[in-house]
Amino acid sequence: MSWLAKGDTDQPLEPPSEFIIKVQDINDNPPQFVEGPYRASVPEMSQVGTSVTRVTATDADDPVYGNSAKLVYSILEGQPYFSIDPNTAIIKIALHGMDREMREEYLVVIQAKDMGGHMGGLSGTTTVTVTLTDVNDNPPKFSKSMQNFVIPEELGIGKPGGKVKANDRDIGENAKSTYNIIDGDEKDVFEITTDAQTQEGILRLKKPLNFETKKSYTLKVEAANIRFDPNSGAPFKDTATVKIAVEDSDEPPIFSKPTFVLQVNENAPINTVIGTVTARDPDVTGSLVRYFIDRHTDLERQFNINVDDGKITLAKPLDRETDMWHNITVTATEIRNHSQISRAIVAIRVLDINDNAPEFATEYEAFLCENGKPGQVIQTVSAVDKDDPIQGHYFEYRLIPEMLNNPNFTIKNNGDNSISVLAKHDTFRRQKQEMYFLPIIVTDNGTPPMSSTNTLTIRVCGCSREGIVQSCNVEAYVLPIGLSMGALIAILACIILLLVIVVLFVTLRRHKNKPLIIKDDEDVRENIIRYDDEGGGEEDTEAFDIATLQNPDGINGYLPRKDIKPDLQFMPRQSGGPNGVDVDEFINVRLHEADNDPTAPPYDSIQIYGYEGRGSIAGSLSSLETASSDSDQNYDYLREWGPRFRRLGELYSVGESDKET
């Protein structure tokens, strides 16, 4: 478009025009692989022409104009293993039999060139890493076709005896194998398992080895892949021969039987041979064996054993009724190696003999009605026997010879090892005889027969008309005297009432003789008495004579003995006492009476006073030094002694104030 102006009018000289300018492309942009570099994988042993992957390049030039954007692909590196389609850029297998075990990874360089690949065109490159994935194309292979092991014969069941391994060049699941024994283990002594981690075959024992029985084994072991391609036709398994030599070990003795059952009579004498246990050393050398009893199983030491031949003898008498079976443990030890020990259980059964007499099954006590009829059954009696005869128990009952013709009772056999005791008459009376004793002999059928005498106690009772027992106590003896039960209860009540009256009378008499105790806390006399009780000190737990407290200097004078009754009589106390107002006069009166009354207890108070006395660090608490004590003493210091002496200080302060008034 052009613009021409005319003079100063600024008007166009001609109309506007439009022009289209087209920029022509040239080949100035090379191809680019935007998604590169590439990674791809393909199974090993793939057929020629198998597609691996596809790459893509882009060119920024105009694909319409000329060949600037026409790309052609080629391989710069990676031949002869791979090829690429120049137009589609598909990479393919170019070589047959590519084995991963030989080479697993390949680096391929791809070029893209524009201008249709002609000279002068621009190009770009990228790399493709191709990995061959594993296929199961290799069977497991033993490193040695013959393998040897030495296994000790004492190896435990389930313990590993050796390991074999077949190597497989494949990886992952394709390399996993299983192991089997396919020949040479007819007795099923061994088994082989696969270790999932190491892919080893572990040989284990299923049965114990015995060098003396079989010294070697030859096994044929097979290793086979778990996964394989049946179309490959290759045998994905391998075999190896395993020779096992059994190593002789020093084994413990072997008993002829794991458990021995012996029998002995319970009356067998000491040193009786009960039986014999035998054991032998299974080793080729054949060491001698010694026998012992494990005393933890024979704490009472009832049995002994001969250390050389294994004969078990009786050491103490046995009682079948106490223990029917005795289980002991016998050990066998090699002489040359005491650590080789084996054990066997010996069960000893104690056979029964007839050494216990039968006796009543319980302590029977029969009741007989006074109004009973002749021939009535008083009691059914049975017996027991601690023995256990093979043919069973049969008991015979009879009265002792002295009682065969007794007029009161008889027995009848019930045919089931029991008897019935019958009454012969109906004239039994409690007043005549309350209780009868019937001795019965019980004999068993053992050899020799054993018997015992048992006594049946029969009590005569009062019964109802229906034969129900009502009373068998001592009332039968009381009623004939003429006293009823009500009379007896009345007499007993009177006796109890009389005893209660006597107890009350004694209690009142004692209460009346007790001295009067002033309980008013405000009464001065009570406080004086309490002061006398406290004055002995913390270690004084007895009362003391106030006369001694009144004059401690008089301890060297005459004092009555506490173990001799004084001859002087007590001086009567003058009538009329203090009324709680004049404390000093009251103390003087009591002090005078105590000084002149040698009979006043206690007689040993001088010992108690001497304990506290003047030797006390706290000094004397009493103002009663002598009969003529100074009544003008100041007691204000008692207030300073604490709350325990506050009340005492108040009393003495009151007394001083009364004197001043």
Side-chain angles (χ1 to χ4, degrees):
M1 182 183 66
S2 63
W3 180 270
L4 297 177
K6 177 182 178 182
D8 295 332
T9 61
D10 203 19
Q11 293 295 324
L13 297 180
E14 60 182 40
S17 302
E18 291 183 1
F19 298 92
I20 298 174
I21 301 172
K22 185 175 182 180
V23 180
Q24 185 176 358
D25 184 35
I26 64 173
N27 188 17
D28 59 348
N29 291 285
Q32 293 182 354
F33 291 91
V34 179
E35 298 177 359
Y38 296 87
R39 298 191 66 88
S41 62
V42 64
E44 63 173 333
M45 298 297 178
S46 297
Q47 298 294 325
V48 175
T50 302
S51 176
V52 178
T53 187
R54 180 179 181 178
V55 297
T56 303
T58 60
D59 195 324
D61 294 329
D62 187 359
V64 178
Y65 180 77
N67 294 325
S68 299
K70 185 178 181 181
L71 304 180
V72 175
Y73 298 90
S74 62
I75 294 180
L76 299 181
E77 294 183 17
Q79 295 175 335
Y81 306 104
F82 301 95
S83 64
I84 187 169
D85 189 293
N87 297 318
T88 62
I90 297 176
I91 301 174
K92 301 179 180 180
I93 296 294
L95 185 64
H96 177 73
M98 296 179 64
D99 192 359
R100 185 202 64 83
E101 287 73 30
M102 299 298 294
R103 184 176 176 180
E104 185 176 2
E105 193 173 85
Y106 297 85
L107 183 63
V108 181
V109 180
I110 304 297
Q111 175 184 267
K113 190 175 182 180
D114 59 12
M115 298 299 291
H118 296 293
M119 185 178 297
L122 301 179
S123 65
T125 61
T126 187
T127 60
V128 180
T129 303
V130 180
T131 303
L132 298 182
T133 59
D134 184 58
V135 296
N136 191 13
D137 58 343
N138 292 281
K141 187 70 175 178
F142 286 102
S143 58
K144 295 186 295 183
S145 60
M146 179 72 70
Q147 301 193 33
N148 296 280
F149 296 101
V150 177
I151 300 179
E153 64 174 329
E154 75 269 13
L155 185 67
I157 303 299
K159 298 295 183 180
K163 297 180 180 179
V164 296
K165 185 174 183 180
N167 298 313
D168 194 324
R169 298 175 62 190
D170 296 323
I171 59 175
E173 294 294 325
N174 296 324
K176 291 185 178 180
S177 302
T178 58
Y179 297 86
N180 295 285
I181 300 174
I182 60 176
D183 192 17
D185 189 25
E186 293 79 9
K187 294 186 178 180
D188 199 23
V189 178
F190 300 94
E191 66 176 353
I192 190 167
T193 58
T194 304
D195 190 327
Q197 300 295 329
T198 63
Q199 287 299 303
E200 293 177 319
I202 302 175
L203 202 62
R204 302 178 187 272
L205 285 183
K206 294 178 65 177
K207 295 180 180 179
L209 299 176
N210 191 336
F211 176 82
E212 290 72 26
T213 303
K214 191 170 184 178
K215 298 179 176 59
S216 65
Y217 295 85
T218 301
L219 308 178
K220 190 174 183 180
V221 178
E222 179 186 77
N225 279 148
I226 298 176
R227 297 175 58 183
F228 64 93
D229 185 4
N231 297 324
S232 64
F236 289 91
K237 56 185 177 180
D238 192 20
T239 59
T241 301
V242 178
K243 289 189 175 182
I244 300 173
V246 181
E247 182 182 32
D248 188 21
S249 302
D250 190 6
E251 301 175 84
I254 298 177
F255 282 93
S256 58
K257 293 186 292 185
T259 302
F260 296 84
V261 179
L262 307 178
Q263 295 180 348
V264 61
N265 291 325
E266 61 177 326
N267 64 341
I270 304 301
N271 295 325
T272 298
V273 177
I274 302 174
T276 303
V277 296
T278 57
R280 64 177 183 84
D281 183 8
D283 297 325
V284 178
T285 54
S287 173
L288 295 178
V289 176
R290 290 200 169 191
Y291 303 91
F292 303 93
I293 292 178
D294 185 353
R295 292 303 177 183
H296 291 91
T297 61
D298 184 28
L299 297 177
E300 298 181 0
R301 294 182 175 270
Q302 293 180 305
F303 306 97
N304 291 325
I305 190 170
N306 189 297
V307 296
D308 296 321
D309 57 14
K311 289 183 178 180
I312 299 176
T313 57
L314 190 63
K316 291 182 179 180
L318 301 178
D319 186 7
R320 189 205 66 87
E321 287 70 36
T322 303
D323 288 307
M324 184 182 299
W325 286 92
H326 296 269
N327 296 321
I328 62 175
T329 300
V330 175
T331 61
T333 307
E334 291 183 7
I335 294 179
R336 66 180 182 183
N337 186 358
H338 297 292
S339 64
Q340 296 296 336
I341 302 175
S342 58
R343 292 172 171 81
I345 303 298
V346 179
I348 301 175
R349 180 184 179 185
V350 182
L351 301 178
D352 183 46
I353 64 169
N354 193 30
D355 58 346
N356 290 279
E359 56 187 12
F360 279 177
T362 183
E363 294 183 2
Y364 293 102
E365 185 178 15
F367 298 95
L368 174 63
C369 293
E370 288 181 312
N371 57 353
K373 299 179 180 179
Q376 72 175 6
V377 177
I378 302 172
Q379 180 70 47
T380 300
V381 176
S382 61
V384 293
D385 194 332
K386 294 181 179 180
D387 295 322
D388 187 18
I390 299 177
Q391 66 275 16
H393 291 291
Y394 176 78
F395 301 125
E396 178 186 354
Y397 301 85
R398 67 179 185 277
L399 299 176
I400 62 174
E402 295 82 0
M403 297 292 293
L404 290 177
N405 297 321
N406 78 92
N408 299 317
F409 307 101
T410 185
I411 61 175
K412 182 184 71 172
N413 193 337
N414 296 328
D416 57 354
N417 279 339
S418 67
I419 59 170
S420 297
V421 179
L422 310 176
K424 287 187 174 181
H425 58 82
D426 58 353
T427 58
F428 295 97
R429 294 294 180 270
R430 283 177 291 173
Q431 296 86 345
K432 180 179 179 181
Q433 185 172 347
E434 183 188 12
M435 193 175 300
Y436 294 87
F437 300 98
L438 183 64
I440 300 175
I441 299 175
V442 185
T443 306
D444 61 20
N445 60 334
T447 305
M450 302 290 292
S451 62
S452 66
T453 301
N454 302 263
T455 301
L456 176 64
T457 302
I458 303 174
R459 187 184 297 273
V460 181
C461 302
C463 303
S464 63
R465 293 182 179 180
E466 292 79 13
I468 300 175
V469 176
Q470 292 182 334
S471 175
C472 298
N473 53 26
V474 75
E475 181 185 353
Y477 296 95
V478 178
L479 293 178
I481 300 177
L483 295 178
S484 64
M485 184 60 66
L488 289 176
I489 294 175
I491 294 173
L492 183 60
C494 292
I495 295 174
I496 293 174
L497 180 62
L498 181 62
L499 290 175
V500 171
I501 294 174
V502 172
V503 171
L504 290 175
F505 177 77
V506 173
T507 303
L508 292 175
R509 186 69 176 267
R510 289 183 178 179
H511 182 71
K512 184 177 181 181
N513 292 336
K514 287 185 178 180
L516 296 176
I517 299 176
I518 302 175
K519 295 185 179 179
D520 189 1
D521 291 341
E522 299 298 329
D523 197 302
V524 176
R525 290 172 293 180
E526 182 187 27
N527 289 277
I528 294 297
I529 294 173
R530 292 183 180 180
Y531 169 69
D532 292 344
D533 291 339
E534 182 69 23
E538 294 181 357
E539 299 187 36
D540 183 11
T541 59
E542 303 180 18
F544 53 90
D545 192 355
I546 196 171
T548 306
L549 182 63
Q550 176 261 339
N551 187 13
D553 293 331
I555 60 176
N556 295 327
Y558 169 76
L559 292 174
R561 293 178 59 183
K562 63 181 180 180
D563 56 345
I564 301 177
K565 183 178 181 181
D567 296 328
L568 298 177
Q569 298 297 323
F570 171 68
M571 182 180 295
R573 179 179 295 178
Q574 298 179 1
S575 61
N579 56 6
V581 178
D582 192 350
V583 178
D584 186 63
E585 182 181 355
F586 172 75
I587 293 176
N588 290 334
V589 172
R590 293 293 183 268
L591 186 62
H592 180 73
E593 292 179 356
D595 289 341
N596 295 279
D597 185 11
T599 63
Y603 309 119
D604 59 348
S605 61
I606 185 64
Q607 301 175 12
I608 299 172
Y609 172 67
Y611 182 82
E612 180 73 17
R614 291 182 176 180
S616 174
I617 299 176
S620 176
L621 301 179
S622 176
S623 62
L624 307 179
E625 294 293 338
T626 62
S628 60
S629 61
D630 187 5
S631 62
D632 297 331
Q633 185 175 354
N634 185 7
Y635 298 100
D636 292 339
Y637 61 87
L638 293 176
R639 299 177 180 272
E640 301 176 358
W641 286 9
R644 297 180 61 183
F645 297 92
R646 183 178 300 168
R647 180 63 176 164
L648 184 62
E650 292 175 356
L651 293 176
Y652 275 90
S653 297
V654 173
E656 291 296 328
S657 62
D658 292 343
K659 286 183 179 182
E660 293 176 0
T661 57

